[in-house]
Amino acid sequence: MKILEFLILGKNEEILPILLRLVNANENWNGVSFNDEEIAQKYFLNNKIDIVLLSSGIEDHVEKEFTSFCLKHQPEVEVIEHFGGGSGLLKSEIQHRLYLKGKI
């Protein structure tokens, strides 16, 4: 199975490392996390990303701008909003989206 590359963007300093740990706990997922959208954009431009995971603390206009940016530069990327609910919900949200897109 292909390793899926994740970019996680969030502003909550307590939740962001937890999300990164949960993503990287899956042997088929590899994630990096950022709390600054400009740094995340630079990383995004230089790497092939499969999934952008948006976490808590992001202002609405930043979320919309970042999503538009990602889709403009990599139209096949999946952007998923995750604002809590535990590790089971996170995995379920990701797998559900991938299933709907025919990627699993």
Side-chain angles (χ1 to χ4, degrees):
M1 178 177 217
K2 175 186 182 290
I3 302 294
L4 296 177
E5 298 295 330
F6 284 71
L7 184 151
I8 306 166
L9 178 63
K11 300 289 184 171
N12 186 314
E13 296 292 331
E14 295 174 4
I15 294 176
L16 197 55
I18 295 169
L19 288 177
L20 182 60
R21 180 177 48 82
L22 291 171
V23 165
N24 287 330
N26 186 311
E27 65 184 23
N28 295 314
W29 299 352
N30 181 55
V32 295
S33 64
F34 300 93
N35 64 4
D36 180 288
E37 58 274 3
E38 291 180 18
I39 295 171
Q41 286 177 342
K42 289 176 185 175
Y43 183 88
F44 188 88
L45 287 174
N46 292 304
N47 294 276
K48 171 68 174 104
I49 304 297
D50 298 295
I51 296 174
V52 171
L53 188 60
L54 301 175
S55 183
S56 62
I58 304 170
E59 296 173 331
D60 287 341
H61 75 280
V62 172
E63 182 181 321
K64 289 176 186 171
E65 290 170 6
F66 192 76
T67 298
S68 294
F69 170 87
C70 292
L71 292 172
K72 175 183 176 185
H73 293 283
Q74 294 185 38
E76 66 285 351
V77 73
E78 295 296 327
V79 179
I80 300 173
E81 297 175 4
H82 176 76
F83 299 110
S87 62
L89 180 59
L90 174 65
K91 185 176 179 181
S92 176
E93 288 172 337
I94 293 166
Q95 290 178 330
H96 180 70
R97 175 67 67 89
L98 294 174
Y99 174 78
L100 289 176
K101 297 291 183 169
K103 296 182 179 182
I104 59 169

